[in-house]
Amino acid sequence: MSVARRRLPAVACACVLAALSANAAALDLLQAWQAAQANDQQLRAARAAAEANRERLPQARAQLRPQVSASFSRNRNELRSEQAGFLGIPVQEHEHYTSASDALTVRQPLYRPQLTAQLRQARALVANGDAVLETEEQKLVMRLTQAYLEALQAEEQQRLVEVQRLAFVAQLDAARKGFAAGGGTRTDVDEAQARIDLNTAQALEARQSVDFARQQLAMVVGAPVQELAPIAVDRLPLAVPQPARLEEWLARAEAASPELRAGAAQLEAAREAVRVARAGHHPTLDAIAQVSRSESDNPTRVDSKYRQALVGVQLTVPLYEGGAVNSRIRQALAEAERAEGALQATRLDLGSRVHREFRGVTEGIARVRALEQAVRSNEQLVQSSRRSQQAGARTILDILNAEQQLGTARRDLAQARFAYVLALVRLRALAGDMGEASLAEVNGWLAR
């Protein structure tokens, strides 16, 4: 990947965040995704790891190609010799001379099963790196969606607390007026004031939740978050996921899961590592071509020059390495068994997650509809309680309880909607169907 291509996500992120800052617009899910792609550090690390893994392939191929080397040496020699001369008198000689040698060697592997196994292992490791990168992209979609929805949920809770506070303030005002007019009791005033005091504490907690949720989202997108596009309830589809059968979603997840592809690639790499280790028992055969030139290469032929060319084959047969080869084989077999077990565990875990998210979607629809009815019923209860209180059949406490119950129902409904959307996004992501197009569809459920 070129430097220009690596800078594209960062440029896109800067453009999105600059546009939001200039227009004071609410950040939607698709804009958050574009920013998160450039900012998320886990995804950045996965990209770098995938790039590093891709370099294994040219390195493995290079081992099967001709290896060309050249060597040059120049030496200054000092020779002292002594030999018997005339009448046995020792004669000493002291000589200085320069020697040189040059060689050009070409070696081509002909039979090296270890190198071919390493090439297949490199292909598997490259596939594993690409699958891990896709897994991190999938996880980023889930983390971003969860952080976005949690921020929306915190804002919705803060809004509901404020709405409830207005209702309690109105009831406190009514209680005080009734007590002053002699038609109410001090208990009604104290009960209304107690609800407001509790609401104040809840408002502080809700504000802290909003700040924390926005901070968590800002860590993903790489910039402070001021305003979010909320879910438009009228646009949110409450439909059973298609296909409607869990078995089909499980099949789709197994076919598309990058986690399973990564596990399968790791298992293949481990099996090739076994073949690499077993190749330590096999002989190797290389073709060799060499051209060499030497000058004064031995003290008996000082000032002599030689040029030699050779072509041949070299056979190397391993005999004994102290048991190291057998140890490496056992180690590789254990790693292959571990990789196979990890793959099976990943497959089981994937099935469990798909099952959980599928039920989260299907049961979430029923829960949302039930809570929508509960909200309508509690709204009616509040109205009835107010009319009954005016008629003298109910007290301020009954109205406060009804308001409290309505606030709880509204909170549970908002949580159920967010949980439904999150389960649907996770289900699609696990089935490999959560690309930018699907994310744009979910983004269409937000209010502008």
Side-chain angles (χ1 to χ4, degrees), residues 387-430:
R387 287 193 295 267
S388 297
Q389 191 268 339
Q390 293 171 357
R394 294 276 182 167
T395 65
I396 292 292
L397 178 60
D398 295 325
I399 298 177
L400 291 174
N401 288 336
E403 292 282 2
Q404 188 79 36
Q405 191 170 325
L406 175 59
T408 301
R410 286 173 172 169
R411 181 201 63 194
D412 293 345
L413 175 58
Q415 292 177 349
R417 284 174 177 153
F418 292 130
Y420 163 76
V421 174
L422 184 57
L424 184 58
V425 169
R426 285 174 170 169
L427 180 63
R428 289 183 176 182
L430 291 173

Short mmCIF file of all heavy atoms in Angstrom, two decimals, residues 387-430:
data_model
loop_
_atom_site.label_atom_id
_atom_site.label_comp_id
_atom_site.label_asym_id
_atom_site.label_seq_id
_atom_site.Cartn_x
_atom_site.Cartn_y
_atom_site.Cartn_z
N ARG A 387 -57.70 13.25 36.22
CA ARG A 387 -59.13 13.53 36.24
C ARG A 387 -59.75 13.02 37.55
O ARG A 387 -60.62 13.69 38.14
CB ARG A 387 -59.82 12.89 35.04
CG ARG A 387 -59.51 13.61 33.72
CD ARG A 387 -60.45 13.15 32.62
NE ARG A 387 -60.24 11.74 32.28
CZ ARG A 387 -59.44 11.31 31.33
NH1 ARG A 387 -58.74 12.18 30.59
NH2 ARG A 387 -59.31 10.01 31.08
N SER A 388 -59.30 11.83 37.99
CA SER A 388 -59.84 11.29 39.24
C SER A 388 -59.44 12.15 40.43
O SER A 388 -60.21 12.33 41.39
CB SER A 388 -59.34 9.86 39.44
OG SER A 388 -59.81 9.01 38.40
N GLN A 389 -58.22 12.72 40.38
CA GLN A 389 -57.78 13.59 41.47
C GLN A 389 -58.61 14.86 41.51
O GLN A 389 -58.96 15.37 42.59
CB GLN A 389 -56.29 13.91 41.29
CG GLN A 389 -55.65 14.59 42.49
CD GLN A 389 -55.70 16.11 42.38
OE1 GLN A 389 -55.84 16.64 41.27
NE2 GLN A 389 -55.60 16.80 43.51
N GLN A 390 -58.94 15.38 40.34
CA GLN A 390 -59.78 16.57 40.30
C GLN A 390 -61.18 16.27 40.84
O GLN A 390 -61.84 17.15 41.41
CB GLN A 390 -59.87 17.09 38.86
CG GLN A 390 -58.56 17.63 38.33
CD GLN A 390 -58.60 17.95 36.84
OE1 GLN A 390 -59.62 17.71 36.18
NE2 GLN A 390 -57.49 18.48 36.33
N ALA A 391 -61.62 15.02 40.63
CA ALA A 391 -62.94 14.62 41.12
C ALA A 391 -62.90 14.20 42.59
O ALA A 391 -63.94 13.88 43.17
CB ALA A 391 -63.50 13.49 40.27
N GLY A 392 -61.70 14.13 43.16
CA GLY A 392 -61.57 13.76 44.56
C GLY A 392 -61.42 12.28 44.81
O GLY A 392 -61.37 11.85 45.97
N ALA A 393 -61.31 11.48 43.75
CA ALA A 393 -61.20 10.04 43.93
C ALA A 393 -59.74 9.58 44.03
O ALA A 393 -59.48 8.45 44.45
CB ALA A 393 -61.88 9.31 42.78
N ARG A 394 -58.82 10.43 43.63
CA ARG A 394 -57.38 10.10 43.69
C ARG A 394 -56.63 11.21 44.39
O ARG A 394 -57.13 12.35 44.51
CB ARG A 394 -56.83 9.92 42.28
CG ARG A 394 -57.39 8.71 41.52
CD ARG A 394 -56.65 7.45 41.87
NE ARG A 394 -57.15 6.31 41.12
CZ ARG A 394 -56.52 5.15 41.04
NH1 ARG A 394 -55.36 5.00 41.64
NH2 ARG A 394 -57.07 4.15 40.39
N THR A 395 -55.42 10.90 44.81
CA THR A 395 -54.58 11.89 45.49
C THR A 395 -53.39 12.25 44.60
O THR A 395 -53.13 11.63 43.56
CB THR A 395 -54.07 11.34 46.82
OG1 THR A 395 -53.20 10.22 46.56
CG2 THR A 395 -55.23 10.88 47.70
N ILE A 396 -52.66 13.26 45.07
CA ILE A 396 -51.44 13.66 44.38
C ILE A 396 -50.45 12.49 44.31
O ILE A 396 -49.75 12.29 43.32
CB ILE A 396 -50.79 14.86 45.09
CG1 ILE A 396 -51.67 16.10 44.93
CG2 ILE A 396 -49.40 15.15 44.52
CD1 ILE A 396 -51.76 16.63 43.53
N LEU A 397 -50.42 11.68 45.36
CA LEU A 397 -49.52 10.53 45.39
C LEU A 397 -49.84 9.56 44.26
O LEU A 397 -48.93 9.00 43.62
CB LEU A 397 -49.62 9.82 46.75
CG LEU A 397 -48.76 8.56 46.90
CD1 LEU A 397 -47.29 8.89 46.70
CD2 LEU A 397 -48.98 7.92 48.28
N ASP A 398 -51.11 9.36 43.97
CA ASP A 398 -51.49 8.48 42.86
C ASP A 398 -50.98 9.02 41.53
O ASP A 398 -50.50 8.26 40.67
CB ASP A 398 -53.01 8.32 42.82
CG ASP A 398 -53.54 7.60 44.05
OD1 ASP A 398 -52.83 6.69 44.54
OD2 ASP A 398 -54.63 7.95 44.53
N ILE A 399 -51.07 10.32 41.36
CA ILE A 399 -50.59 10.93 40.11
C ILE A 399 -49.07 10.79 40.01
O ILE A 399 -48.52 10.47 38.96
CB ILE A 399 -51.01 12.40 40.03
CG1 ILE A 399 -52.53 12.51 40.02
CG2 ILE A 399 -50.43 13.06 38.78
CD1 ILE A 399 -53.04 13.94 40.03
N LEU A 400 -48.38 11.03 41.12
CA LEU A 400 -46.92 10.91 41.11
C LEU A 400 -46.49 9.49 40.78
O LEU A 400 -45.53 9.27 40.03
CB LEU A 400 -46.36 11.34 42.47
CG LEU A 400 -46.49 12.82 42.81
CD1 LEU A 400 -46.04 13.07 44.25
CD2 LEU A 400 -45.67 13.68 41.84
N ASN A 401 -47.19 8.52 41.37
CA ASN A 401 -46.86 7.13 41.06
C ASN A 401 -47.11 6.81 39.59
O ASN A 401 -46.34 6.08 38.96
CB ASN A 401 -47.68 6.20 41.96
CG ASN A 401 -47.23 6.22 43.40
OD1 ASN A 401 -46.08 6.55 43.69
ND2 ASN A 401 -48.13 5.89 44.32
N ALA A 402 -48.19 7.34 39.05
CA ALA A 402 -48.48 7.12 37.64
C ALA A 402 -47.42 7.76 36.76
O ALA A 402 -46.99 7.18 35.75
CB ALA A 402 -49.87 7.65 37.30
N GLU A 403 -46.99 8.98 37.11
CA GLU A 403 -45.93 9.65 36.35
C GLU A 403 -44.62 8.85 36.43
O GLU A 403 -43.90 8.71 35.43
CB GLU A 403 -45.71 11.06 36.89
CG GLU A 403 -46.85 12.03 36.65
CD GLU A 403 -46.88 12.57 35.23
OE1 GLU A 403 -46.02 12.15 34.43
OE2 GLU A 403 -47.76 13.39 34.93
N GLN A 404 -44.32 8.35 37.62
CA GLN A 404 -43.11 7.55 37.80
C GLN A 404 -43.18 6.28 36.95
O GLN A 404 -42.19 5.91 36.29
CB GLN A 404 -42.94 7.17 39.27
CG GLN A 404 -41.62 6.50 39.60
CD GLN A 404 -40.49 7.49 39.73
OE1 GLN A 404 -40.69 8.60 40.22
NE2 GLN A 404 -39.31 7.10 39.28
N GLN A 405 -44.32 5.64 36.94
CA GLN A 405 -44.49 4.43 36.16
C GLN A 405 -44.40 4.72 34.66
O GLN A 405 -43.83 3.93 33.90
CB GLN A 405 -45.85 3.81 36.50
CG GLN A 405 -46.05 2.39 35.95
CD GLN A 405 -47.30 1.75 36.54
OE1 GLN A 405 -47.63 1.98 37.70
NE2 GLN A 405 -47.97 0.94 35.73
N LEU A 406 -44.93 5.85 34.23
CA LEU A 406 -44.83 6.24 32.82
C LEU A 406 -43.38 6.48 32.42
O LEU A 406 -42.94 6.06 31.35
CB LEU A 406 -45.67 7.49 32.57
CG LEU A 406 -45.57 8.09 31.16
CD1 LEU A 406 -46.00 7.09 30.11
CD2 LEU A 406 -46.39 9.38 31.07
N GLY A 407 -42.64 7.17 33.30
CA GLY A 407 -41.22 7.41 33.00
C GLY A 407 -40.44 6.12 32.88
O GLY A 407 -39.58 5.97 32.00
N THR A 408 -40.74 5.15 33.75
CA THR A 408 -40.06 3.85 33.68
C THR A 408 -40.39 3.13 32.38
O THR A 408 -39.51 2.54 31.73
CB THR A 408 -40.47 2.98 34.87
OG1 THR A 408 -40.11 3.64 36.09
CG2 THR A 408 -39.77 1.63 34.83
N ALA A 409 -41.65 3.18 31.96
CA ALA A 409 -42.05 2.52 30.72
C ALA A 409 -41.37 3.17 29.51
O ALA A 409 -40.92 2.48 28.59
CB ALA A 409 -43.57 2.58 30.57
N ARG A 410 -41.29 4.50 29.51
CA ARG A 410 -40.62 5.18 28.40
C ARG A 410 -39.13 4.84 28.36
O ARG A 410 -38.56 4.65 27.29
CB ARG A 410 -40.81 6.69 28.54
CG ARG A 410 -42.21 7.16 28.18
CD ARG A 410 -42.38 8.63 28.51
NE ARG A 410 -43.66 9.14 28.01
CZ ARG A 410 -44.16 10.33 28.33
NH1 ARG A 410 -43.49 11.13 29.17
NH2 ARG A 410 -45.31 10.72 27.82
N ARG A 411 -38.51 4.78 29.54
CA ARG A 411 -37.09 4.40 29.59
C ARG A 411 -36.88 2.99 29.07
O ARG A 411 -35.98 2.73 28.26
CB ARG A 411 -36.60 4.50 31.03
CG ARG A 411 -35.12 4.15 31.22
CD ARG A 411 -34.84 3.77 32.65
NE ARG A 411 -35.59 2.57 33.02
CZ ARG A 411 -35.76 2.16 34.28
NH1 ARG A 411 -35.29 2.87 35.29
NH2 ARG A 411 -36.43 1.03 34.53
N ASP A 412 -37.70 2.06 29.51
CA ASP A 412 -37.57 0.67 29.05
C ASP A 412 -37.81 0.56 27.55
O ASP A 412 -37.15 -0.24 26.87
CB ASP A 412 -38.55 -0.23 29.80
CG ASP A 412 -38.21 -0.35 31.28
OD1 ASP A 412 -37.07 0.01 31.66
OD2 ASP A 412 -39.08 -0.79 32.06
N LEU A 413 -38.74 1.34 27.02
CA LEU A 413 -39.00 1.32 25.58
C LEU A 413 -37.79 1.81 24.80
O LEU A 413 -37.41 1.20 23.79
CB LEU A 413 -40.23 2.17 25.26
CG LEU A 413 -40.56 2.34 23.77
CD1 LEU A 413 -40.78 0.99 23.11
CD2 LEU A 413 -41.77 3.25 23.60
N ALA A 414 -37.19 2.90 25.26
CA ALA A 414 -36.00 3.42 24.57
C ALA A 414 -34.88 2.39 24.60
O ALA A 414 -34.21 2.14 23.59
CB ALA A 414 -35.56 4.73 25.21
N GLN A 415 -34.67 1.77 25.76
CA GLN A 415 -33.63 0.75 25.86
C GLN A 415 -33.91 -0.44 24.95
O GLN A 415 -33.00 -0.99 24.32
CB GLN A 415 -33.51 0.28 27.31
CG GLN A 415 -32.95 1.34 28.25
CD GLN A 415 -32.93 0.87 29.69
OE1 GLN A 415 -33.50 -0.17 30.04
NE2 GLN A 415 -32.28 1.64 30.56
N ALA A 416 -35.17 -0.83 24.85
CA ALA A 416 -35.54 -1.96 23.99
C ALA A 416 -35.28 -1.64 22.53
O ALA A 416 -34.83 -2.50 21.76
CB ALA A 416 -37.00 -2.32 24.21
N ARG A 417 -35.56 -0.41 22.11
CA ARG A 417 -35.30 -0.03 20.71
C ARG A 417 -33.81 -0.06 20.42
O ARG A 417 -33.38 -0.55 19.38
CB ARG A 417 -35.88 1.36 20.45
CG ARG A 417 -37.40 1.37 20.28
CD ARG A 417 -37.92 2.77 20.17
NE ARG A 417 -39.37 2.78 19.93
CZ ARG A 417 -40.18 3.77 20.29
NH1 ARG A 417 -39.68 4.83 20.91
NH2 ARG A 417 -41.47 3.70 20.02
N PHE A 418 -33.01 0.50 21.33
CA PHE A 418 -31.56 0.49 21.11
C PHE A 418 -31.03 -0.94 21.09
O PHE A 418 -30.16 -1.27 20.27
CB PHE A 418 -30.87 1.31 22.20
CG PHE A 418 -31.16 2.78 22.13
CD1 PHE A 418 -31.56 3.48 23.26
CD2 PHE A 418 -31.03 3.47 20.95
CE1 PHE A 418 -31.83 4.84 23.20
CE2 PHE A 418 -31.29 4.84 20.87
CZ PHE A 418 -31.70 5.52 22.00
N ALA A 419 -31.52 -1.78 21.99
CA ALA A 419 -31.06 -3.17 22.03
C ALA A 419 -31.44 -3.91 20.75
O ALA A 419 -30.67 -4.73 20.24
CB ALA A 419 -31.66 -3.88 23.25
N TYR A 420 -32.61 -3.62 20.21
CA TYR A 420 -33.05 -4.25 18.95
C TYR A 420 -32.13 -3.85 17.80
O TYR A 420 -31.68 -4.71 17.02
CB TYR A 420 -34.49 -3.83 18.65
CG TYR A 420 -34.91 -4.07 17.22
CD1 TYR A 420 -35.21 -5.36 16.77
CD2 TYR A 420 -35.00 -3.02 16.33
CE1 TYR A 420 -35.59 -5.57 15.44
CE2 TYR A 420 -35.38 -3.22 15.01
CZ TYR A 420 -35.68 -4.50 14.57
OH TYR A 420 -36.04 -4.71 13.27
N VAL A 421 -31.83 -2.56 17.68
CA VAL A 421 -30.95 -2.10 16.59
C VAL A 421 -29.56 -2.71 16.74
O VAL A 421 -28.97 -3.18 15.75
CB VAL A 421 -30.87 -0.56 16.59
CG1 VAL A 421 -29.85 -0.08 15.56
CG2 VAL A 421 -32.23 0.05 16.28
N LEU A 422 -29.04 -2.73 17.96
CA LEU A 422 -27.70 -3.27 18.18
C LEU A 422 -27.66 -4.76 17.86
O LEU A 422 -26.70 -5.25 17.24
CB LEU A 422 -27.26 -3.02 19.62
CG LEU A 422 -25.83 -3.44 19.97
CD1 LEU A 422 -24.82 -2.75 19.07
CD2 LEU A 422 -25.53 -3.14 21.43
N ALA A 423 -28.68 -5.51 18.26
CA ALA A 423 -28.72 -6.94 17.95
C ALA A 423 -28.80 -7.18 16.45
O ALA A 423 -28.16 -8.10 15.92
CB ALA A 423 -29.92 -7.59 18.65
N LEU A 424 -29.55 -6.35 15.75
CA LEU A 424 -29.66 -6.50 14.30
C LEU A 424 -28.33 -6.21 13.61
O LEU A 424 -27.91 -6.95 12.69
CB LEU A 424 -30.74 -5.56 13.76
CG LEU A 424 -31.05 -5.65 12.27
CD1 LEU A 424 -31.48 -7.06 11.89
CD2 LEU A 424 -32.12 -4.63 11.88
N VAL A 425 -27.62 -5.17 14.05
CA VAL A 425 -26.31 -4.85 13.48
C VAL A 425 -25.32 -5.97 13.75
O VAL A 425 -24.57 -6.39 12.86
CB VAL A 425 -25.80 -3.51 14.06
CG1 VAL A 425 -24.33 -3.29 13.68
CG2 VAL A 425 -26.65 -2.35 13.54
N ARG A 426 -25.33 -6.49 14.97
CA ARG A 426 -24.40 -7.57 15.30
C ARG A 426 -24.71 -8.83 14.50
O ARG A 426 -23.80 -9.53 14.04
CB ARG A 426 -24.49 -7.87 16.80
CG ARG A 426 -23.81 -6.84 17.68
CD ARG A 426 -24.08 -7.13 19.15
NE ARG A 426 -23.26 -6.29 20.02
CZ ARG A 426 -23.43 -6.19 21.32
NH1 ARG A 426 -24.40 -6.89 21.92
NH2 ARG A 426 -22.66 -5.41 22.06
N LEU A 427 -26.00 -9.13 14.33
CA LEU A 427 -26.37 -10.31 13.56
C LEU A 427 -25.89 -10.20 12.12
O LEU A 427 -25.33 -11.15 11.56
CB LEU A 427 -27.89 -10.50 13.61
CG LEU A 427 -28.45 -11.72 12.85
CD1 LEU A 427 -27.92 -13.01 13.45
CD2 LEU A 427 -29.97 -11.71 12.88
N ARG A 428 -26.11 -9.05 11.52
CA ARG A 428 -25.65 -8.85 10.14
C ARG A 428 -24.13 -8.90 10.04
O ARG A 428 -23.58 -9.45 9.09
CB ARG A 428 -26.17 -7.51 9.62
CG ARG A 428 -27.66 -7.47 9.34
CD ARG A 428 -28.06 -6.12 8.76
NE ARG A 428 -29.46 -6.08 8.39
CZ ARG A 428 -30.04 -5.03 7.82
NH1 ARG A 428 -29.32 -3.93 7.59
NH2 ARG A 428 -31.32 -5.05 7.51
N ALA A 429 -23.46 -8.32 11.03
CA ALA A 429 -22.00 -8.34 11.00
C ALA A 429 -21.47 -9.76 11.11
O ALA A 429 -20.53 -10.14 10.40
CB ALA A 429 -21.45 -7.47 12.13
N LEU A 430 -22.06 -10.57 11.99
CA LEU A 430 -21.62 -11.95 12.13
C LEU A 430 -21.85 -12.75 10.86
O LEU A 430 -21.11 -13.70 10.57
CB LEU A 430 -22.34 -12.61 13.31
CG LEU A 430 -21.97 -12.10 14.70
CD1 LEU A 430 -22.88 -12.72 15.75
CD2 LEU A 430 -20.51 -12.40 15.02
#
